PDB file of all heavy atoms in Angstrom:
ATOM      1  N   SER A 207    -154.365 -73.775  54.066  1.00 98.00           N
ATOM      2  CA  SER A 207    -153.382 -73.850  52.967  1.00 98.00           C
ATOM      3  C   SER A 207    -152.529 -72.576  52.971  1.00 98.00           C
ATOM      4  O   SER A 207    -153.032 -71.484  52.796  1.00 98.00           O
ATOM      5  CB  SER A 207    -154.096 -73.925  51.632  1.00 98.00           C
ATOM      6  OG  SER A 207    -153.194 -73.624  50.574  1.00 98.00           O
ATOM      7  N   LEU A 209    -150.807 -71.492  50.746  1.00 98.00           N
ATOM      8  CA  LEU A 209    -150.802 -70.818  49.450  1.00 98.00           C
ATOM      9  C   LEU A 209    -151.317 -69.378  49.579  1.00 98.00           C
ATOM     10  O   LEU A 209    -150.915 -68.467  48.828  1.00 98.00           O
ATOM     11  CB  LEU A 209    -151.704 -71.606  48.485  1.00 98.00           C
ATOM     12  CG  LEU A 209    -151.652 -71.280  47.017  1.00 98.00           C
ATOM     13  CD1 LEU A 209    -150.253 -71.389  46.453  1.00 98.00           C
ATOM     14  CD2 LEU A 209    -152.604 -72.134  46.242  1.00 98.00           C
ATOM     15  N   HIS A 232    -151.404 -77.262  55.384  1.00 99.00           N
ATOM     16  CA  HIS A 232    -151.531 -77.742  53.997  1.00 99.00           C
ATOM     17  C   HIS A 232    -150.553 -77.017  53.119  1.00 99.00           C
ATOM     18  O   HIS A 232    -150.535 -75.791  53.042  1.00 99.00           O
ATOM     19  CB  HIS A 232    -152.986 -77.553  53.550  1.00 99.00           C
ATOM     20  CG  HIS A 232    -153.267 -78.207  52.212  1.00 99.00           C
ATOM     21  ND1 HIS A 232    -153.514 -79.545  52.063  1.00 99.00           N
ATOM     22  CD2 HIS A 232    -153.349 -77.651  50.955  1.00 99.00           C
ATOM     23  CE1 HIS A 232    -153.710 -79.808  50.792  1.00 99.00           C
ATOM     24  NE2 HIS A 232    -153.634 -78.679  50.096  1.00 99.00           N
ATOM     25  N   PHE A 233    -149.751 -77.789  52.378  1.00 99.00           N
ATOM     26  CA  PHE A 233    -148.571 -77.239  51.667  1.00 99.00           C
ATOM     27  C   PHE A 233    -148.701 -77.573  50.179  1.00 99.00           C
ATOM     28  O   PHE A 233    -148.550 -78.751  49.778  1.00 99.00           O
ATOM     29  CB  PHE A 233    -147.321 -77.914  52.292  1.00 99.00           C
ATOM     30  CG  PHE A 233    -145.998 -77.347  51.868  1.00 99.00           C
ATOM     31  CD1 PHE A 233    -145.282 -76.548  52.782  1.00 99.00           C
ATOM     32  CD2 PHE A 233    -145.418 -77.670  50.667  1.00 99.00           C
ATOM     33  CE1 PHE A 233    -144.025 -76.030  52.419  1.00 99.00           C
ATOM     34  CE2 PHE A 233    -144.154 -77.158  50.312  1.00 99.00           C
ATOM     35  CZ  PHE A 233    -143.462 -76.343  51.212  1.00 99.00           C
ATOM     36  N   ASP A 234    -149.071 -76.597  49.364  1.00 98.00           N
ATOM     37  CA  ASP A 234    -149.373 -76.810  47.961  1.00 98.00           C
ATOM     38  C   ASP A 234    -148.158 -76.667  47.078  1.00 98.00           C
ATOM     39  O   ASP A 234    -147.583 -75.602  46.964  1.00 98.00           O
ATOM     40  CB  ASP A 234    -150.445 -75.800  47.523  1.00 98.00           C
ATOM     41  CG  ASP A 234    -151.823 -76.161  48.073  1.00 98.00           C
ATOM     42  OD1 ASP A 234    -152.254 -77.295  47.921  1.00 98.00           O
ATOM     43  OD2 ASP A 234    -152.486 -75.263  48.636  1.00 98.00           O
ATOM     44  N   VAL A 235    -147.820 -77.764  46.400  1.00 99.00           N
ATOM     45  CA  VAL A 235    -146.629 -77.768  45.558  1.00 99.00           C
ATOM     46  C   VAL A 235    -147.089 -77.839  44.079  1.00 99.00           C
ATOM     47  O   VAL A 235    -147.705 -78.791  43.651  1.00 99.00           O
ATOM     48  CB  VAL A 235    -145.748 -79.024  45.830  1.00 99.00           C
ATOM     49  CG1 VAL A 235    -144.490 -78.991  45.012  1.00 99.00           C
ATOM     50  CG2 VAL A 235    -145.456 -79.087  47.332  1.00 99.00           C
ATOM     51  N   MET A 236    -146.774 -76.775  43.318  1.00 98.00           N
ATOM     52  CA  MET A 236    -147.208 -76.685  41.914  1.00 98.00           C
ATOM     53  C   MET A 236    -145.976 -76.477  41.041  1.00 98.00           C
ATOM     54  O   MET A 236    -145.077 -75.713  41.386  1.00 98.00           O
ATOM     55  CB  MET A 236    -148.140 -75.491  41.723  1.00 98.00           C
ATOM     56  CG  MET A 236    -149.362 -75.529  42.636  1.00 98.00           C
ATOM     57  SD  MET A 236    -150.497 -74.209  42.249  1.00 98.00           S
ATOM     58  CE  MET A 236    -151.659 -74.375  43.612  1.00 98.00           C
ATOM     59  N   ASP A 263    -148.903 -81.354  55.622  1.00 99.00           N
ATOM     60  CA  ASP A 263    -149.713 -82.135  54.651  1.00 99.00           C
ATOM     61  C   ASP A 263    -149.317 -81.634  53.275  1.00 99.00           C
ATOM     62  O   ASP A 263    -149.799 -80.587  52.841  1.00 99.00           O
ATOM     63  CB  ASP A 263    -151.156 -81.803  55.011  1.00 99.00           C
ATOM     64  CG  ASP A 263    -152.216 -82.301  54.038  1.00 99.00           C
ATOM     65  OD1 ASP A 263    -151.952 -83.287  53.347  1.00 99.00           O
ATOM     66  OD2 ASP A 263    -153.316 -81.684  54.037  1.00 99.00           O
ATOM     67  N   HIS A 265    -149.324 -81.484  49.443  1.00 99.00           N
ATOM     68  CA  HIS A 265    -150.183 -81.801  48.280  1.00 99.00           C
ATOM     69  C   HIS A 265    -149.344 -81.538  47.020  1.00 99.00           C
ATOM     70  O   HIS A 265    -149.111 -80.389  46.648  1.00 99.00           O
ATOM     71  CB  HIS A 265    -151.431 -80.878  48.372  1.00 99.00           C
ATOM     72  CG  HIS A 265    -152.295 -80.958  47.184  1.00 99.00           C
ATOM     73  ND1 HIS A 265    -153.346 -80.025  46.987  1.00 99.00           N
ATOM     74  CD2 HIS A 265    -152.364 -81.800  46.137  1.00 99.00           C
ATOM     75  CE1 HIS A 265    -153.960 -80.324  45.859  1.00 99.00           C
ATOM     76  NE2 HIS A 265    -153.379 -81.406  45.319  1.00 99.00           N
ATOM     77  N   MET A 267    -148.850 -81.229  43.312  1.00 99.00           N
ATOM     78  CA  MET A 267    -149.476 -81.032  41.984  1.00 99.00           C
ATOM     79  C   MET A 267    -148.319 -80.947  41.007  1.00 99.00           C
ATOM     80  O   MET A 267    -148.018 -79.878  40.464  1.00 99.00           O
ATOM     81  CB  MET A 267    -150.323 -79.765  42.019  1.00 99.00           C
ATOM     82  CG  MET A 267    -151.583 -79.898  42.814  1.00 99.00           C
ATOM     83  SD  MET A 267    -152.307 -78.310  43.317  1.00 99.00           S
ATOM     84  CE  MET A 267    -151.413 -78.020  44.853  1.00 99.00           C
ATOM     85  N   VAL A 313    -154.995 -87.784  45.382  1.00 99.00           N
ATOM     86  CA  VAL A 313    -155.839 -86.597  45.184  1.00 99.00           C
ATOM     87  C   VAL A 313    -156.611 -86.744  43.859  1.00 99.00           C
ATOM     88  O   VAL A 313    -155.960 -87.029  42.836  1.00 99.00           O
ATOM     89  CB  VAL A 313    -154.987 -85.314  45.097  1.00 99.00           C
ATOM     90  CG1 VAL A 313    -155.883 -84.074  45.180  1.00 99.00           C
ATOM     91  CG2 VAL A 313    -153.876 -85.278  46.098  1.00 99.00           C
ATOM     92  N   LEU A 334    -157.909 -87.312  49.113  1.00 99.00           N
ATOM     93  CA  LEU A 334    -158.189 -85.882  49.015  1.00 99.00           C
ATOM     94  C   LEU A 334    -159.024 -85.639  47.758  1.00 99.00           C
ATOM     95  O   LEU A 334    -158.603 -85.967  46.647  1.00 99.00           O
ATOM     96  CB  LEU A 334    -156.873 -85.119  48.943  1.00 99.00           C
ATOM     97  CG  LEU A 334    -156.886 -83.596  48.615  1.00 99.00           C
ATOM     98  CD1 LEU A 334    -157.895 -82.822  49.443  1.00 99.00           C
ATOM     99  CD2 LEU A 334    -155.499 -83.017  48.819  1.00 99.00           C
ATOM    100  N   MET A 336    -160.540 -82.921  45.310  1.00 99.00           N
ATOM    101  CA  MET A 336    -160.466 -81.533  44.916  1.00 99.00           C
ATOM    102  C   MET A 336    -161.859 -81.007  44.639  1.00 99.00           C
ATOM    103  O   MET A 336    -162.644 -81.642  43.883  1.00 99.00           O
ATOM    104  CB  MET A 336    -159.608 -81.342  43.652  1.00 99.00           C
ATOM    105  CG  MET A 336    -158.131 -81.628  43.791  1.00 99.00           C
ATOM    106  SD  MET A 336    -157.301 -80.701  45.082  1.00 99.00           S
ATOM    107  CE  MET A 336    -157.571 -78.995  44.559  1.00 99.00           C
ATOM    108  N   ASP A 378    -160.536 -80.086  49.297  1.00 98.00           N
ATOM    109  CA  ASP A 378    -159.635 -78.921  49.070  1.00 98.00           C
ATOM    110  C   ASP A 378    -160.175 -78.050  47.974  1.00 98.00           C
ATOM    111  O   ASP A 378    -160.340 -78.500  46.821  1.00 98.00           O
ATOM    112  CB  ASP A 378    -158.272 -79.508  48.640  1.00 98.00           C
ATOM    113  CG  ASP A 378    -157.203 -78.461  48.448  1.00 98.00           C
ATOM    114  OD1 ASP A 378    -157.448 -77.278  48.794  1.00 98.00           O
ATOM    115  OD2 ASP A 378    -156.083 -78.806  48.046  1.00 98.00           O
ATOM    116  N   GLY A 379    -160.502 -76.821  48.355  1.00 98.00           N
ATOM    117  CA  GLY A 379    -160.893 -75.795  47.356  1.00 98.00           C
ATOM    118  C   GLY A 379    -162.249 -75.153  47.643  1.00 98.00           C
ATOM    119  O   GLY A 379    -163.256 -75.837  47.681  1.00 98.00           O
ATOM    120  N   VAL A 398    -159.393 -78.465  53.923  1.00 98.00           N
ATOM    121  CA  VAL A 398    -158.377 -77.450  53.583  1.00 98.00           C
ATOM    122  C   VAL A 398    -159.114 -76.103  53.499  1.00 98.00           C
ATOM    123  O   VAL A 398    -160.231 -76.088  53.015  1.00 98.00           O
ATOM    124  CB  VAL A 398    -157.677 -77.773  52.248  1.00 98.00           C
ATOM    125  CG1 VAL A 398    -156.738 -76.642  51.875  1.00 98.00           C
ATOM    126  CG2 VAL A 398    -156.967 -79.079  52.345  1.00 98.00           C
TER     127      VAL A 398
HETATM  128 ZN1   ZN B  14    -154.114 -78.224  48.094  1.00 56.97          ZN
END
Side-chain angles (χ1 to χ4, degrees):
S207 163
L209 192 58
H232 187 78
F233 191 103
D234 286 310
V235 183
M236 303 185 188
D263 170 27
H265 173 191
M267 288 161 273
V313 192
L334 171 49
M336 291 306 299
D378 186 5
V398 176

